Structures are given as C-alpha cells and as structure tokens.
Amino acid sequence: MRKYYQLLLVIICFLSVVTLLIYRHEYYRLRYVLEVLNFFGKPGLSEIEFCGPGYNATMLSEILRNSSMEVRETPPLFQQIDDNFYSYSSFLRSYQKYEKLTQSHAHIIDTIVIGKAQITPNFRCNIWMEGSNTPKAGRFTHKTISEPVNDFTLYIFQCSLSKNLGKPKGVSFYVNDYNINPIHAPIIRVIQVNTKRKPRRTANIKFVNNIEPAICVIPNQIPLVSRDSFIEFLVFHHMMGVKYFTIYDSMISEDIIRRLNLVPSDITQWNIQFFPLNYPFLFAKSYNIVRNAIELDCLFRHFRLDKEETEKASHAIVMSWDEFLVPRIHNNIKEIFNDFDPTRRIRTLQLKPLLFCLNQADDEEVEVGYPEMMKKTHYYIIPQNMSPIYVRNLDSMVIYEDIFSLTLSTKELPLEVLGAHKYTTCRDPKVFNSSGAGYNETQMKMLQHKFEAAMAKFGPNIVSNKIYRLYRSGKIWEKTSSESVRDML
C-alpha cells in the first residue's frame, strides 16, 4: 500500500512540474506580447501605446466607435524620467517632406518636459529605430521654454543623431550616470512633423489660407466638467466658427461621449480628438505649467499638418471648459481674425479674460430657456490670478523653430472686438469652505462689477441649434439602440 502512495506522490509531483513549466512558458509569451504592444502600439487602436494613471480605458472604447470623436494619434502622457523631471510628448523633425536629410543632426527629437526649476537637467538619451530592438545613443541638449511657475519650469529636451541610421520610433532619457542601465528608461513614442509649412503659390502671388481656428481644451482648475458645460462649450464655439477640437481631459463622463457619438457626423459637422490627461503633480499647484505644456503639444500637432492640405488649422487656442470667446462685432471669430490681421503676420493675439461669477443673480431680462452662462450679465473686478487667452497664428510660423518664438509679434484684441469670458463660482481664496460655496448674495453686491450682455445676444442661436435642442430635450439620454437620432431632431 505504501508503494502506491509513493507512486501517487511521484505522479502528482511530475504533473506539478509540467504545469509549472507550461505556466512559465505562457507567462513569458504574454509578457513578450505586452512589451511589443507597449512599444509598437495595439492593432486596431492606431498608435495608442500607454495609458498611465488617470486614464479611462472604457472611455477610449466608446470614443473609438465613432470616427468623428476618437483617438487617432499617439496621446501625450506624462512619464517620469527621474524624481524631478517628467516627459510629456516627443516630436521627430526629420524625414521632412520639403527638405533633404543632412549628415549634421540627421534626426532631432524635441520632447516636452516639465521639471523642477531649481534642478539643472543632466541626462543622456537613446533613440530607438524602427525594426531594431537596440537603441542608438544620441546627443542630449535642452532649452528652457518658460519662466518658473510655482517651482516648475517647461523645457524642451532634444536628442539628436549626426547620421541617418534609420527611422526613429522612440526616444528615452536617463540619468547621466554610467552605473544606470539605460535600457530600463521609459520609451516615448515620437510623432513625425514637417519642418516647414509650405504656402500655396501661383506665379508671383501668395495666397493666404482660409482661417480655420482650432481649440485645444483643458480641464478647469477644479478638474470636473458637467454635462451642461461640455455640450454648451462645444455647441457655442462651433457656432463661432470652430470645428476642430482637441480635448485633453480624462474626467469627461463616459455617458456623455457615448450619447454624443450617436449623433451622425453630418449633423455635428465638427472634428473632435480626445487625449487623456494624467498629471503626476498636485494639479492646483502645477495648473499653469501643465497648461503651457498642453499648448506646446497643441501647436506641434497642428504644425505637423501641411498648409497645402485643405481645412487644416490656421490658428490654435488653448482654453478651459469655463472660458468662452464672445464676439462684440460679427457673429463668429473667423471674421474677427480676418479683419484684425488680414495679412496673417501677427504671431499672437492676446485677450484679457473677464470674470463672470456663476453665483451672481440671474439677469431677469434674459430668456428663461437660455443656458446659465447667458443669464450672467455682469463681470467682476476681483483681484485674481487670471492668465490671458492667447490665439497663436500658425500661418505666421513658416519654419518649425518659429513655435519657440510666440512673442515675436503680439497684439492685444480690444474688448470692443472680442471678449474672453470666464464663468466660475467666485469665492474668497483666503477662506476655506468645505461645501465649495462662494460669495453670498450680500457679499456679491459689495463687489465692483460692470454690465456686459454680449453673450446673451447669441441665446436665440444656441437654443435653436440642433445638437443643443436634442440635448435639452433629454431624448438622447433615453435613447435605445434601435432608435434613430435623426427622428429626434
């Protein structure tokens, strides 16, 4: 009997070893597949390669169901280089369409980086080539893009190769220490850009492209956006002549995206690109520097598109969900930009924001059915740190390096022409309120304010808008998959 027990134990031991070996084999196969997907991108998901903290994968699956609202490019995502520096996105300025490669710095990769202001960058870099699993050592340099903001500074890390050794697909940075293994540094996928934007020419006449503004949307300082704010922002600025939106936000409700995707693109007539935003810092403290990084990413992405191609952005504007561009003359911002800068030579148009408190009383003269923001007709003179809104003119940027000279020519748009309205709850920054409430009615009456009803004049247009009417009716939120959205309009 004892022999049978021993035989049984031997069989069990043998099966356990075989199972362990099978498990180990499958584990390494899966690990290899994940590594390949992480570097080269997942099939069917364009160039998505890394999600990172704060990213909602369910949201991505819903976005990808509709071609008008999707992630079609490599997303910008913060990745840690070391304890003091975080990379955001990388852009390859080689393989350009209008220039031949030279042996001097055949490849240059620019990477947007946020770092501690008091720390001097001291790194080495590797460039990863297509079709090779071993990197090439590059030459590292850096330039400072912004003044310190709350102990943070915006940098451009450059990694270059003096010879054309293939097409780069990724870049990595690591501490300048030969005891550190560079193979473990995070790899940032590069995005190809053109180094020149070629204007259209016929004989000796230079034709200026039509104005096509694009808005890059970032979260509010309190990074939550309501369903109302999301719809109102898109619909209003689409009415103002904007059809290109790039949204850097991970806090958008999945239900909003799913429902809005039900509306056919020929009805919306806008182009929306979603990117997740994973900020590795205290958001309130780093908000302004993150906004600067997003603006640079926004400019790089729009600069890479050919001016010869039709319907590409001519101006780029970075705004949060609570900011609105409200014309005083004309009915859209395209006509304003055309009148104010007909030759497209001004690099930056600057707008001073006006603060409209959402906790002010509604204007009784405004129609009841108008959006909440249109019922606020007084802007307040409250000492708050409000950054200007900048309109960057891509048509004035002939070569890639012009992106780094945004203040070359700047002109302020007068309030009589175009206003930048910011709608938020006004509160005393020195007093903490756990409920998040702002000034009460009595306190609001004591604050200095001025009447401004420019927004209210667009009330009839927005309430008659097809998308807004569909949203306000509530039908789209109750829709089943068998119903047609067109029947609801």
Side-chain angles (χ1 to χ4, degrees):
M1 194 69 178
R2 186 175 179 181
K3 293 182 180 179
Y4 290 109
Y5 281 125
Q6 290 177 340
L7 178 61
L8 182 61
L9 288 174
V10 170
I11 294 173
I12 292 174
C13 183
F14 176 78
L15 291 176
S16 298
V17 171
V18 172
T19 304
L20 180 61
L21 292 175
I22 294 174
Y23 172 82
R24 185 175 180 271
H25 175 70
E26 293 299 321
Y27 168 79
Y28 280 109
R29 282 185 59 193
L30 178 60
R31 182 180 177 182
Y32 173 77
V33 171
L34 290 175
E35 287 176 350
V36 172
L37 290 177
N38 186 51
F39 182 73
F40 292 102
K42 300 174 184 178
L45 290 182
S46 182
E47 294 178 336
I48 301 303
E49 53 173 339
F50 170 75
C51 291
Y55 184 68
N56 191 321
T58 306
M59 179 183 74
L60 175 62
S61 66
E62 294 295 340
I63 294 170
L64 291 176
R65 292 183 181 181
N66 186 284
S67 60
S68 65
M69 302 178 71
E70 61 179 358
V71 178
R72 294 180 299 275
E73 299 179 0
T74 300
L77 294 160
F78 284 106
Q79 297 189 62
Q80 185 176 13
I81 298 176
D82 69 358
D83 292 339
N84 301 306
F85 294 91
Y86 290 81
S87 64
Y88 190 50
S89 54
S90 294
F91 296 86
L92 168 69
R93 49 161 137 170
S94 59
Y95 287 86
Q96 49 267 53
K97 184 176 180 181
Y98 301 109
E99 293 180 338
K100 295 182 179 180
L101 289 174
T102 61
Q103 290 302 310
S104 176
H105 300 303
H107 300 297
I108 299 178
I109 297 175
D110 292 325
T111 301
I112 302 170
V113 175
I114 291 180
K116 295 292 182 64
Q118 67 273 19
I119 306 296
T120 302
N122 183 23
F123 294 97
R124 299 173 68 83
C125 64
N126 280 335
I127 295 179
W128 299 75
M129 300 298 177
E130 196 173 65
S132 174
N133 57 2
T134 56
K136 306 296 182 183
R139 178 176 177 268
F140 173 80
T141 57
H142 76 277
K143 61 173 107 177
T144 304
I145 300 299
S146 72
E147 296 296 324
V149 179
N150 290 334
D151 299 328
F152 292 102
T153 299
L154 185 65
Y155 297 94
I156 289 292
F157 283 9
Q158 289 187 336
C159 189
S160 58
L161 281 177
S162 58
K163 294 182 179 180
N164 182 12
L165 301 177
K167 185 174 182 179
K169 292 295 289 183
V171 64
S172 58
F173 300 92
Y174 54 97
V175 179
N176 190 9
D177 184 348
Y178 286 98
N179 294 322
I180 302 296
N181 189 347
I183 205 73
H184 296 148
I187 301 171
I188 311 159
R189 193 177 183 90
V190 297
I191 303 166
Q192 183 179 330
V193 295
N194 294 319
T195 56
K196 285 188 177 181
R197 285 167 58 95
K198 188 176 180 181
R200 293 176 296 177
R201 293 178 183 272
T202 300
N204 295 323
I205 302 174
K206 179 178 178 179
F207 291 93
V208 179
N209 287 356
N210 293 330
I211 289 180
E212 201 64 65
I215 292 181
C216 292
V217 192
I218 64 173
N220 302 334
Q221 288 189 306
I222 299 177
L224 287 173
V225 58
S226 66
R227 191 169 73 180
D228 289 4
S229 300
F230 176 83
I231 298 293
E232 289 166 2
F233 183 95
L234 294 178
V235 170
F236 180 83
H237 286 102
H238 188 249
M239 286 168 40
M240 295 302 106
V242 180
K243 65 179 180 181
Y244 292 101
F245 298 91
T246 305
I247 298 174
Y248 299 76
D249 200 329
S250 294
M251 301 300 290
I252 305 297
S253 166
E254 299 168 22
D255 187 56
I256 295 177
I257 298 172
R258 182 170 60 254
R259 298 292 177 173
L260 206 56
N261 276 338
L262 298 174
V263 185
S265 58
D266 63 313
I267 296 177
T268 57
Q269 294 184 341
W270 55 36
N271 185 298
I272 299 179
Q273 173 83 326
F274 276 93
F275 289 134
L277 180 59
N278 64 325
Y279 33 89
F281 325 97
L282 182 63
F283 191 65
K285 184 178 180 181
S286 60
Y287 182 81
N288 289 330
I289 198 72
V290 171
R291 181 170 182 148
N292 292 341
I294 288 174
E295 180 182 47
L296 209 52
D297 181 88
C298 175
L299 292 173
F300 284 158
R301 289 177 187 275
H302 285 294
F303 188 87
R304 70 187 290 265
L305 299 172
D306 235 339
K307 281 176 71 174
E308 284 187 321
E309 298 179 29
T310 59
E311 297 184 348
K312 299 303 179 185
S314 61
H315 294 72
I317 314 157
V318 175
M319 301 172 64
S320 56
W321 295 108
D322 56 5
E323 295 171 337
F324 290 78
L325 298 180
V326 186
R328 305 296 194 267
I329 59 174
H330 299 303
N331 289 320
N332 64 68
I333 61 176
K334 296 171 69 171
E335 295 176 2
I336 291 176
F337 295 161
N338 188 51
D339 285 353
F340 202 73
D341 182 24
T343 59
R344 315 291 195 272
R345 293 180 180 177
I346 302 175
R347 181 70 49 83
T348 298
L349 298 175
Q350 179 175 316
L351 292 90
K352 183 179 179 180
L354 305 180
L355 180 62
F356 288 77
C357 299
L358 292 176
N359 44 325
Q360 66 175 284
D362 291 347
D363 191 322
E364 296 180 354
E365 299 296 324
V366 179
E367 293 289 338
V368 176
Y370 287 1
E372 189 70 16
M373 60 188 177
M374 294 184 173
K375 301 174 185 177
K376 313 302 180 183
T377 54
H378 289 258
Y379 67 90
Y380 286 74
I381 316 299
I382 301 175
Q384 291 191 3
N385 184 20
M386 295 177 60
S387 302
I389 302 294
Y390 297 109
V391 180
R392 310 298 190 183
N393 180 8
L394 292 165
D395 276 347
S396 71
M397 303 177 192
V398 179
I399 59 175
Y400 186 77
E401 285 76 9
D402 287 343
I403 296 178
F404 304 117
S405 303
L406 296 176
T407 58
L408 182 65
S409 58
T410 304
K411 194 170 184 179
E412 185 171 343
L413 267 169
L415 178 60
E416 294 76 19
V417 176
L418 180 66
H421 294 192
K422 186 176 183 68
Y423 295 89
T424 186
T425 300
C426 298
R427 54 176 62 88
D428 188 347
K430 299 179 181 179
V431 178
F432 173 74
N433 191 317
S434 58
S435 66
Y439 293 114
N440 59 38
E441 189 174 346
T442 303
Q443 292 171 321
M444 292 294 296
K445 291 179 180 179
M446 302 298 294
L447 300 174
Q448 183 182 358
H449 57 86
K450 293 184 179 180
F451 178 76
E452 176 56 76
M455 175 64 91
K457 74 175 185 178
F458 295 103
N461 292 338
I462 196 169
V463 295
S464 61
N465 181 274
K466 290 182 178 179
I467 304 300
Y468 189 75
R469 282 193 291 110
L470 183 61
Y471 158 69
R472 293 294 295 180
S473 70
K475 294 179 180 179
I476 194 171
W477 313 112
E478 303 169 357
K479 179 187 178 297
T480 63
S481 58
S482 61
E483 294 176 311
S484 172
V485 172
R486 296 183 188 275
D487 297 337
M488 299 180 183
L489 298 174

